[in-house]
Amino acid sequence: MKITALLVLKCDSSRTSDGSDPIILANATDVNHFGYFQRVTVRQFIVFVGRTVAKRTPPDQRHSVQHEEYKVHSYNRNGLCVVGFMDDHYPVRSAFSVLNKVIDEYQKSFGDSWRTIQADSTQPWPYLNDALTKFQDPGEADKLLKIQRELDETKIILHKTIDSVLERGEKLDSLVEKSSDLSAASQMFYKQAKKTNQCCTIL
């Protein structure tokens, strides 16, 4: 069981309605299980996919996007969205317990200050890095079951592929080409991997 990344994003409706991408407020990744030369590309794709999924998660909804052996889970609480990249063996209940805990801690630490942020943050948030380590064990996340009633009462929407969260007419290939999160090398990697049917496993 593995958590590869946790991201906190601002995706309020005023931005997403005009086509703007969500703003990254905090980002923690663990890509050590990827090959050394893949790590930059993987980090870029995590940011790209995180924004893509967060932008399409409506307020007060939870989404899970399945891709091969990975799931991308997202929870949007009134414009503050947290996204987690877990492998397929990580229990969904535990995953959303982690996301709830991250949002609670972010609001406890920063209040509503995120609402005025207009650009991606590059400052590390120590709690997020600690959470990425601590919650590698789903048993730690299950200690957060006091929020289980809330999870049971809120429908989690499961998407079988990332394409299923895109709006009608949108294509992932087109988003990859237009993304400012991906370098030319990463875009080329995506195209070559797709041709050989070995696309980056986090997508």
Side-chain angles (χ1 to χ4, degrees):
M1 299 181 194
K2 177 72 177 173
I3 305 178
T4 298
L6 293 169
L7 292 81
V8 183
L9 305 98
K10 172 187 176 182
C11 50
D12 60 289
S13 57
S14 63
R15 288 186 56 82
T16 55
S17 61
D18 67 6
S20 299
D21 285 331
I23 292 170
I24 293 178
L25 305 172
N27 181 1
T29 60
D30 177 6
V31 295
N32 290 330
H33 53 295
F34 290 94
Y36 180 79
F37 294 106
Q38 288 182 302
R39 292 175 188 173
V40 171
T41 293
V42 170
R43 286 192 185 97
Q44 290 178 359
F45 270 102
I46 285 171
V47 170
F48 166 72
V49 173
R51 280 197 222 268
T52 300
V53 173
K55 186 175 183 178
R56 290 154 181 83
T57 304
D60 302 315
Q61 281 197 17
R62 295 175 171 85
H63 281 183
S64 289
V65 179
Q66 176 81 46
H67 180 75
E68 297 177 2
E69 71 270 28
Y70 283 86
K71 280 194 178 82
V72 182
H73 303 286
S74 62
Y75 173 35
N76 182 338
R77 185 189 290 172
N78 197 26
L80 184 63
C81 189
V82 61
V83 177
F85 290 72
M86 283 81 164
D87 68 23
D88 200 25
H89 301 291
Y90 202 95
V92 172
R93 182 182 70 178
S94 301
F96 281 102
S97 293
V98 172
L99 301 193
N100 273 275
K101 179 64 173 173
V102 169
I103 281 190
D104 287 345
E105 289 297 324
Y106 190 89
Q107 291 187 311
K108 188 186 300 183
S109 298
F110 303 104
D112 285 335
S113 62
W114 60 272
R115 295 185 181 278
T116 61
I117 295 175
Q118 298 298 320
D120 288 348
S121 173
T122 57
Q123 296 297 317
W125 179 31
Y127 172 82
L128 198 60
N129 291 289
D130 292 343
L132 186 64
T133 301
K134 178 180 180 180
F135 295 122
Q136 294 294 335
D137 175 9
E140 288 294 327
D142 280 338
K143 293 177 182 177
L144 307 175
L145 288 182
K146 61 184 180 180
I147 61 163
Q148 184 57 39
R149 184 179 303 167
E150 177 189 350
L151 290 179
D152 289 339
E153 293 173 355
T154 305
K155 183 178 179 182
I156 297 172
I157 300 172
L158 174 62
H159 297 278
K160 292 186 177 178
T161 67
I162 192 169
D163 293 299
S164 63
V165 303
L166 303 181
E167 296 174 10
R168 182 171 296 181
E170 282 187 312
K171 298 293 183 186
L172 185 60
D173 291 358
S174 176
L175 294 179
V176 168
E177 288 182 6
K178 292 186 290 187
S179 174
S180 59
D181 292 322
L182 302 175
S183 65
S186 291
Q187 291 175 350
M188 183 62 68
F189 171 81
Y190 169 81
K191 292 175 184 176
Q192 290 174 343
K194 187 175 180 183
K195 284 181 182 177
T196 59
N197 200 28
Q198 295 176 342
C199 190
C200 186
T201 54
I202 62 165
L203 277 180

